[in-house]
Amino acid sequence: MTNPLKFINLTDTHVIGGDRLLYGANPARRLARAVDSIISDHADAAFVVVTGDMTHWGDADAYDAFAREIHRLPMPVHLMVGNHDDGVAFAATFPDAPRDPAGFVQFTFDTPHHKAICIDTKKQGTHAGAYCAERLSWLKQQLEQSEEPVLLFMHHPPFPVGIKAMDNIMMQDADVFHAVIEPHKHRIQHLFFGHVHRAIFGNWRGVSFSCMRGLNHQVALDLNPEANNVPGDLAQPAYGVVLLSDDLVVAHMFEFAEASPRFSLGAPEGVDNVSYQLNMRHEGFTDL
Ligand SMILES: [Fe+2]
């Protein structure tokens, strides 16, 4: 069996300019830490996909701060927009970023086993996602052009995840979107999305999906159907480390800034395994 191809799924970096805090955390510094981590731990990754919300307010300073860090990555980076991004400011900082003929930030690229399709679900003036007829026709064309297995990347999920305030701003055109992908579903190996700032895994009408945490603020688990505000917390930031073969997609969530103790689960040669496990202690670590 050949080695799987590795890639990184980074999402919802929400960078702001001026080295300022956002909800008490520093998104630019967190992105710098993530980039350091990718360079030191996953320099063998073939590419990085950023599934939207690169910046929080879509301003030029924020894109500059985002670009400074992203440009340190040694592998190709595929940038997608989310509801917090601004198409004009994004284009000013990344003039070579690919777009479809109508100007939407959607594009494809090839991996050894898959065609990756990155779609633009942003609608100006709202945090909810949209997918208009023009974008659908581009997607239909991409899906019909080949018979390769497909990886689908999008910012907004086309389904509710059970957190009311986020479900209100999911992709609003889910059924027409589904109608376009339906004839090709057997080839869609996985759907990656962002937007929800949580680790979420599941299956939508036969398509497996995953969402990774963002890098700054996260969305807390609050399944109260009456809740109107987006619940937030500062759970550890993370990015996805994805292993890809011709018949397998494995998505790991990597908490790159986590400082918990690391150790071997097996005792060293010559040491009793049970006493190794029972007597292990970690300086500075207090259990629950
Ligand atoms: Fe976001």
Side-chain angles (χ1 to χ4, degrees):
M1 188 178 142
T2 54
N3 282 339
L5 175 142
K6 179 197 280 186
F7 76 90
I8 303 296
N9 178 203
L10 195 61
T11 197
D12 294 87
T13 50
H14 281 257
V15 169
I16 59 175
D19 197 32
R20 291 174 296 168
L21 300 184
L22 178 67
Y23 300 117
N26 187 318
R29 196 158 66 214
R30 283 165 172 243
L31 176 59
R33 286 281 297 277
V35 168
D36 290 344
S37 160
I38 294 168
I39 290 170
S40 65
D41 299 329
H42 302 293
D44 58 338
F47 55 88
V48 176
V49 182
V50 183
T51 34
D53 282 0
M54 292 167 273
T55 69
H56 190 60
W57 286 306
D59 55 294
D61 282 354
Y63 283 106
D64 286 349
F66 175 83
R68 265 197 301 281
E69 298 303 332
I70 283 296
H71 284 150
R72 294 200 289 123
L73 288 167
M75 66 287 285
V77 182
H78 304 284
L79 301 176
M80 299 171 60
V81 291
N83 47 298
H84 282 266
D85 288 304
D86 178 88
V88 175
F90 169 65
T93 307
F94 295 96
D96 300 326
R99 288 171 184 259
D100 74 7
F104 292 105
V105 185
Q106 44 183 23
F107 53 90
T108 69
F109 62 93
D110 290 322
T111 79
H113 306 294
H114 297 76
K115 177 174 185 166
I117 304 182
C118 300
I119 69 169
D120 179 346
T121 59
K122 179 181 167 63
K123 184 179 181 183
Q124 201 59 36
T126 171
H127 283 302
Y131 210 60
C132 58
E134 210 167 13
R135 282 178 271 191
L136 276 170
S137 114
W138 177 88
L139 176 60
K140 188 165 182 285
Q141 207 178 15
Q142 304 312 310
L143 286 166
E144 286 172 355
Q145 261 172 12
S146 69
E147 279 301 312
E148 293 162 276
V150 166
L151 299 177
L152 206 48
F153 295 88
M154 55 203 295
H155 182 70
H156 297 80
F159 43 79
V161 298
I163 299 173
K164 192 189 169 227
M166 294 307 294
D167 294 343
N168 290 342
I169 55 170
M170 61 179 254
M171 180 204 250
Q172 306 292 296
D173 311 295
D175 286 335
V176 284
F177 170 74
H178 180 261
V180 165
I181 65 168
E182 220 277 325
H184 308 278
K185 269 202 306 203
H186 61 286
R187 294 193 290 127
I188 300 178
Q189 302 293 299
H190 198 65
L191 187 166
F192 298 85
F193 64 95
H195 193 49
V196 192
H197 296 224
R198 289 191 62 73
I200 303 173
F201 315 96
N203 192 293
W204 177 57
R205 301 179 183 174
V207 178
S208 67
F209 62 74
S210 59
C211 175
M212 292 294 155
R213 284 189 197 146
L215 286 202
N216 198 65
H217 49 289
Q218 313 296 352
V219 171
L221 184 62
D222 180 352
L223 301 176
N224 175 4
E226 307 301 323
N228 282 317
N229 286 323
V230 179
D233 67 25
L234 287 177
Q236 283 284 319
Y239 57 76
V241 179
V242 185
L243 302 176
L244 199 58
S245 317
D246 54 354
D247 63 352
L248 183 64
V249 180
V250 179
H252 293 272
M253 185 180 80
F254 182 41
E255 297 174 302
F256 59 91
E258 171 63 63
S260 85
R262 281 207 176 193
F263 47 86
S264 165
L265 294 182
E269 187 87 27
V271 175
D272 174 68
N273 216 13
V274 172
S275 61
Y276 171 81
Q277 293 172 34
L278 288 174
N279 294 319
M280 185 177 287
R281 300 291 181 273
H282 308 284
E283 207 182 315
F285 173 77
T286 310
D287 198 18
L288 304 172

